[in-house]
Amino acid sequence: MLLIISISCMNNQQKENNESNEDVITYSKDKSEFDASMKPSAADVPESKYHFKALPYNFDAFEPVIDTKTMKLHYDKHHKGYYKKFINAIKQTDDYGKDIVEILSQISNYSSAVRNNAGGYYNHWLFWHSLSPEIGQNPSDNLKNALEESFGSWDAFQESFNTAATSQFGSGWAWLIVDRDGKLGVINTPNQDNPLMDVVKRKGIPILALDVWEHAYYIRYQNKRTTYIKNYWKIIDWSKVDKRYHDAINKKVFKP
Ligand code: MN
């Protein structure tokens, strides 16, 4: 929280003086490349029995934490790619149209094409809906208390989540989950696996997602995954996480 305040209060001269500090993001938005298509659209994806919706904000909504180019590539190329490949893969089975959460919970029965792309389709949807252009939100007292109870303190929760995100070797995800006993936990998963999948050791209902694939941060952060993770905290949509927490306690799973 201190970091957010220090950045927003800094003038240009101070920003220049801080260039060597890797916590400070250099803000250089190049709008020209994106003016014509700043608004995400789902009009170009094929219709299917599964939902694929436009993002609820513009591609530049998270500047400077997540740059416009990354957002556009991530949604238009990566996420849409997973969706299209998932549709193709699930159509090869008898389960086309089966509930996505049911498929994920029995993922060991499916091909790796279904596993990777069902995960990629679902995970990105949860990731997009973990982010808010309203910078610096806080969780409700109810969720904050639950987190403090589960992890010992807010700082311990943050540290646990950051460690999960940083220590995921190669591509993968960090998650905040509600387990079957209603307890909050933090896990990470490789590739496009997620906590709903039967192949995952510690399962649960995911309520917050962080994509740590290089495609999620490399343009702005290069190899500095830790800085990307640190900045991610500023754009978390805690109102949506709160709602998912309440739903997860009642065994309700967030779906696209
Ligand atoms: Mn991704």
Side-chain angles (χ1 to χ4, degrees):
M1 189 55 71
L2 274 175
L3 180 66
I4 300 165
I5 295 160
S6 70
I7 288 176
S8 61
C9 294
M10 261 192 280
N11 61 33
N12 287 338
Q13 188 56 48
Q14 283 170 310
K15 274 182 192 162
E16 274 172 29
N17 292 342
N18 270 285
E19 263 179 6
S20 59
N21 180 349
E22 72 163 12
D23 291 346
V24 177
I25 316 151
T26 316
Y27 183 59
S28 59
K29 187 159 117 187
D30 177 13
K31 275 189 80 175
S32 56
E33 204 179 331
F34 301 105
D35 271 352
S37 54
M38 200 71 92
K39 251 197 154 29
S41 162
D44 58 340
V45 299
E47 288 226 9
S48 80
K49 291 185 179 175
Y50 296 89
H51 296 285
F52 192 95
K53 296 172 195 155
L55 293 179
Y57 36 67
N58 289 354
F59 288 126
D60 62 350
F62 306 111
E63 289 277 5
V65 173
I66 303 179
D67 60 284
T68 307
K69 191 172 190 174
T70 296
M71 284 298 296
K72 188 167 165 54
L73 288 170
H74 203 171
Y75 176 70
D76 274 347
K77 304 297 177 192
H78 296 276
H79 193 195
K80 286 178 182 176
Y82 288 119
Y83 166 77
K84 289 177 205 163
K85 286 178 190 160
F86 165 61
I87 301 304
N88 290 339
I90 200 70
K91 277 183 173 171
Q92 316 275 313
T93 73
D94 296 331
D95 290 340
Y96 175 57
K98 190 174 184 173
D99 184 89
I100 182 67
V101 172
E102 267 186 64
I103 292 172
L104 294 169
S105 69
Q106 301 151 17
I107 205 72
S108 60
N109 298 334
Y110 295 90
S111 66
S112 59
V114 172
R115 178 169 167 177
N116 291 334
N117 294 296
Y121 161 57
Y122 181 90
N123 298 351
H124 286 89
W125 193 247
L126 186 55
F127 178 57
W128 304 134
H129 286 270
S130 294
L131 307 179
S132 168
E134 219 181 283
I135 284 184
Q137 279 192 33
N138 288 301
S140 66
D141 287 345
N142 182 37
L143 177 56
K144 206 163 183 235
N145 291 341
L147 286 164
E148 285 169 357
E149 202 170 299
S150 296
F151 294 91
S153 68
W154 172 260
D155 288 349
F157 157 60
Q158 274 200 314
E159 200 185 320
S160 170
F161 192 89
N162 288 344
T163 302
T166 312
S167 65
Q168 173 56 51
F169 181 75
S171 300
W173 293 77
W175 309 93
L176 174 63
I177 62 165
V178 176
D179 70 16
R180 86 172 93 173
D181 303 320
K183 277 203 71 178
L184 286 157
V186 160
I187 68 161
N188 56 20
T189 55
N191 305 315
Q192 294 295 353
D193 286 355
N194 72 41
L196 296 167
M197 292 181 172
D198 60 353
V199 292
V200 169
K201 205 166 151 195
R202 187 171 180 206
K203 288 178 277 295
I205 298 174
I207 62 172
L208 174 69
L210 173 57
D211 189 340
V212 294
W213 282 59
E214 284 187 346
H215 69 227
Y217 64 87
Y218 213 85
I219 295 173
R220 174 139 295 161
Y221 296 94
Q222 287 84 50
N223 60 328
K224 296 182 187 123
R225 188 195 279 192
T226 312
T227 310
Y228 160 67
I229 294 164
K230 198 180 284 184
N231 286 324
Y232 164 76
W233 288 94
K234 296 170 198 165
I235 55 169
I236 293 177
D237 193 332
W238 284 108
S239 62
K240 284 187 178 152
V241 183
D242 279 340
K243 186 184 180 306
R244 283 195 289 266
Y245 174 59
H246 181 79
D247 286 348
I249 293 290
N250 295 300
K251 310 286 180 203
K252 210 177 138 197
V253 182
F254 176 81
K255 284 182 211 179

